[in-house]
Amino acid sequence: MAEIDGATLIARSLKEQGVEQVYGIVGIPVVPVASACQREGIKFFGMRNEQAASYAAQAASYLTGRPQVCLTVSGPGMVHAIAGLANAQSNCWPMLVLGGASDIDQNGMGAFQEAPQVEAARPFSKYAHAVERVERIPYYIEQAVRTSLYGRPGPAYLDLPGDIITGHVEEEEVVWKPRVPAPPRTLADPAAVRAAIDLLKMAERPLVVVGKGMAWSRAEEEVRAFVDKSGLPFLPTPMGKGVVPDDHPSSVAAARTYALQNTDVVLLLGARLNWILHFGLPPRWSPDLKVIQVDIAAEEIGTNVPAAVGLVGDGRAVVHQLNEVLDEERWQYPAETLWWSGLRNKIAQGKATSDELMASEAVPMNYYRALREIRDAIPRDAIIASEGANTMDIGRQVLPNFFPRTRLDAGSFGTMGVGLAYAIAAAATFPDRRVICLEGDSAFGFSGMEVETACRYELPITFVILNNNGIGGGPNVHDTNPLTASPRAYTGQAHYEKVIEAFGGKGYFVERPEEIRPALDAAARSKMPSLINIMIDINANRKKQQFAWLTH
Ligand SMILES: Cc1ncc(C[n+]2csc(CCOP(=O)(O)OP(=O)(O)O)c2C)c(N)n1
Ligand SMILES: [Mg+2]
């Protein structure tokens, strides 16, 4: 009779469940797990901090559509990965975190790195469990993957004690589990679909908001068809960008504030009325707003504003239902209305202000001038990972996305430290796509050492830092006194580009607008990652808005 060990069983179960990428850091007791994964043909990416590993694993999950894995050691390693569990939970992204744990045999004895890991994971996970018998490893991995993927996605956590990883079992005792099929696509109540279209027909100032739920459910064709057939104005949430190309004529993203404030009926497609959409409440929205909500999670319907119509189901399937009713009724929102002309005026006003900022040749540069160079240099299908405060917010306005799932940013949890990890996952998942990692200088610091990871695997990411000496800009004075130094300030004129050179990447220090494009073009030709550190004005800000974007 043949015996099989825990680590091999873990790796084979992951392979069976469609896992292709593992991001992590090895040590006691998970070294054999990483090796077993590689033996089964699963890629292992050694990262520099488990936070970043957990961010990379969830971005890879979102991009591939199947849960990918973060592997950690026990105790401190697992605790670092809780940052990723929380971030994935907030974004509704799947992922599987496998935490090594001290031996079951030593429970309660003060074992090396012993910690209450399952309890710690639970409030941030959709599923959290410990494996207590070697033969049940495939059972738990299947259950974790299925729970993570089905319904509203979210992270799953499994605790793997050392004696489970090194334990052996007779192969015939193993409880094998087949691969979890793609999630079943659920349909909304047909009567509610009709009610939704009826309400849209009666609306004077209708608006569609496209959320990242549509990107997750691969609803891009259906959503584009809906926007075309209905003639309705739409705007995307930050990571809903690209489901419909940003240059679509019905996009009113550039009139966001006006659109939210004045619409009377909003159709939310896989977008929640949380802080990103200002809760659906006045003063950012009309007090008489009527909400039509499409969501995979029934309990989301009615959050903050009671829904006039709730459509519960898979994003792609439900938008298909909406399209069928539109086809039957041959209805389209008129192209010439007061609503459209109001929106178009606001778009034109906003464009004039941005164009002016983008045309400035002042040194030091403002954000818009630097971002214009990036906008003009990158291919349409580039993937943009981004974080920071102004860097991220202005970058979202200036850099268009034309394809779904091409924008990865601080997201629903507003997490700094995700950018480099997201870029690594994007480059690992799509080796032929250009990956731009656009960072504020503060944001870069959180996971900055991951440039070593990018260099080691020769992932030709272009890292761009918009450097204003700190969090939202720091003063140019060097103050060593913790009682007086600005809490926002970091080292002035810091040469972050030198960090990547330590690992064989290419660094650029840029102070003038005309230096940006040559650096971007050289980065595009390089097989190694590059880092372009762009000094910008410490007083540069976003253009004046009625409401500051309440990101932070
Ligand atoms: C993990 C975490 N810690 C702290 C913050 C608070 N925070 C929000 S934005 C930001 C950095 C903004 O500065 P920078 O990245 O330099 O962008 P800038 O606005 O200067 O362009 C920080 C620290 C956060 N969102 N997440
Ligand atoms: Mg900054």
Side-chain angles (χ1 to χ4, degrees):
M1 279 194 286
E3 278 202 332
I4 187 166
D5 65 285
T8 305
L9 208 41
I10 292 164
R12 289 202 183 147
S13 307
L14 295 176
K15 182 85 181 169
E16 177 63 27
Q17 293 306 332
V19 172
E20 293 163 352
Q21 304 175 31
V22 177
Y23 295 86
I25 298 181
V26 295
I28 297 171
V30 297
V31 175
V33 178
S35 305
C37 284
Q38 289 181 314
R39 278 199 303 276
E40 297 302 321
I42 300 173
K43 291 176 183 160
F44 179 81
F45 294 91
M47 304 284 285
R48 304 307 300 259
N49 184 301
E50 293 85 356
Q51 284 181 2
S54 62
Y55 302 145
Q58 64 195 262
S61 307
Y62 174 64
L63 293 172
T64 60
R66 294 287 298 193
Q68 307 298 329
V69 167
C70 168
L71 179 68
T72 78
V73 301
S74 44
M78 183 276 163
V79 168
H80 286 172
I82 293 175
L85 289 173
N87 190 68
Q89 182 186 54
S90 189
N91 276 340
C92 309
W93 281 353
M95 151 167 81
L96 175 57
V97 174
L98 298 179
S102 46
D103 289 2
I104 296 172
D105 269 4
Q106 296 177 355
N107 269 349
M109 294 174 69
F112 174 65
Q113 298 184 336
E114 183 177 2
Q117 299 180 173
V118 177
E119 291 94 315
R122 184 159 286 127
F124 301 106
S125 307
K126 221 178 145 186
Y127 173 95
H129 218 291
V131 179
E132 74 297 285
R133 295 177 69 85
V134 180
E135 60 270 30
R136 298 196 72 209
I137 287 171
Y139 179 88
Y140 282 120
I141 289 182
E142 187 267 356
Q143 194 169 53
V145 164
R146 183 162 38 82
T147 310
S148 178
L149 187 59
Y150 279 24
R152 169 188 275 175
Y157 176 74
L158 271 182
D159 218 39
L160 301 173
D163 39 5
I164 294 290
I165 293 171
T166 54
H168 286 78
V169 67
E170 292 296 335
E171 272 194 58
E172 62 233 40
E173 284 173 34
V174 174
V175 190
W176 289 105
K177 282 282 174 182
R179 185 186 186 118
V180 173
R185 291 193 180 267
T186 46
L187 294 174
D189 175 358
V193 177
R194 294 229 163 245
I197 299 290
D198 287 346
L199 188 53
L200 283 170
K201 279 176 162 174
M202 279 159 50
E204 274 179 43
R205 296 176 303 284
L207 178 69
V208 179
V209 175
V210 181
K212 69 174 170 300
M214 292 297 119
W216 164 251
S217 75
R218 275 64 185 165
E220 48 267 21
E221 277 176 30
E222 296 294 349
V223 177
R224 285 175 204 183
F226 179 81
V227 166
D228 288 336
K229 281 183 215 284
S230 69
L232 293 169
F234 81 94
L235 57 83
T237 63
M239 287 198 262
K241 263 164 71 79
V243 169
V244 183
D246 275 337
D247 59 354
H248 190 285
S250 299
S251 169
V252 296
R256 183 180 190 274
T257 302
Y258 176 86
L260 301 193
Q261 220 169 18
N262 292 291
T263 179
D264 58 349
V265 177
V266 67
L267 169 62
L268 297 172
L269 298 178
R272 289 167 287 169
L273 284 181
N274 58 19
W275 66 276
I276 291 193
L277 286 175
H278 319 286
F279 313 110
L281 295 172
R284 303 301 303 265
W285 297 78
S286 155
D288 305 319
L289 176 71
K290 291 197 174 58
V291 177
I292 305 168
Q293 215 175 339
V294 176
D295 207 285
I296 183 96
E299 63 272 26
E300 186 61 37
I301 306 291
T303 297
N304 297 324
V305 179
V309 184
L311 302 169
V312 179
D314 167 74
R316 194 172 91 187
V318 174
V319 182
H320 182 78
Q321 288 180 288
L322 289 167
N323 282 334
E324 281 178 339
V325 176
L326 276 185
D327 283 342
E328 252 175 65
E329 309 218 349
R330 306 201 147 271
W331 171 82
Q332 191 168 49
Y333 183 69
E336 296 306 327
T337 57
L338 276 177
W339 180 224
W340 264 123
S341 41
L343 288 163
R344 293 214 172 95
N345 276 340
K346 282 286 164 190
I347 292 170
Q349 278 170 24
K351 187 171 179 313
T353 333
S354 320
D355 283 355
E356 197 183 314
L357 286 160
M358 277 192 255
S360 163
E361 293 303 318
V363 174
M365 277 172 269
N366 68 47
Y367 284 98
Y368 293 80
R369 181 67 185 88
L371 288 163
R372 179 187 121 191
E373 295 293 328
I374 302 173
R375 180 196 68 185
D376 294 345
I378 60 176
R380 272 179 83 86
D381 68 347
I383 300 178
I384 300 167
S386 184
E387 58 182 336
N390 282 334
T391 298
M392 178 177 79
D393 291 342
I394 303 173
R396 180 175 51 239
Q397 292 165 26
V398 176
L399 304 180
N401 299 88
F402 303 103
F403 292 88
R405 300 170 293 284
T406 56
R407 183 174 175 87
L408 300 163
D409 70 17
S412 308
F413 209 40
T415 310
M416 296 298 116
V418 294
L420 281 85
Y422 286 177
I424 287 169
T429 306
F430 299 110
D432 300 327
R433 304 267 286 273
R434 181 92 191 262
V435 179
I436 306 290
C437 183
L438 174 66
E439 299 279 306
D441 57 306
S442 161
F444 177 75
F446 286 79
S447 299
M449 194 49 74
E450 300 300 340
V451 294
E452 188 278 328
T453 309
C455 288
R456 186 162 22 96
Y457 294 106
E458 299 190 358
L459 301 171
I461 298 161
T462 306
F463 298 98
V464 179
I465 298 179
L466 299 188
N467 188 349
N468 58 2
N469 303 344
I471 302 172
N476 253 338
V477 287
H478 187 69
D479 187 345
T480 59
N481 183 348
L483 289 175
T484 55
S486 162
R488 299 187 344 194
Y490 292 129
T491 302
Q493 308 265 108
H495 281 270
Y496 294 109
E497 76 286 356
K498 294 202 169 148
V499 178
I500 202 166
E501 302 228 314
F503 313 112
K506 177 91 177 121
Y508 301 85
F509 183 73
V510 165
E511 290 178 294
R512 307 186 59 81
E514 65 273 16
E515 296 163 349
I516 300 177
R517 184 65 189 251
L520 283 168
D521 289 345
R525 290 189 299 269
S526 173
K527 294 209 177 337
M528 285 296 284
S530 308
L531 192 156
I532 307 173
N533 180 17
I534 305 179
M535 292 308 307
I536 57 165
D537 186 349
I538 58 167
N539 297 313
N541 216 318
R542 62 199 106 178
K543 61 187 177 188
K544 295 252 175 314
Q545 288 174 325
Q546 186 182 357
F547 298 97
W549 174 248
L550 302 170
T551 323
H552 309 286

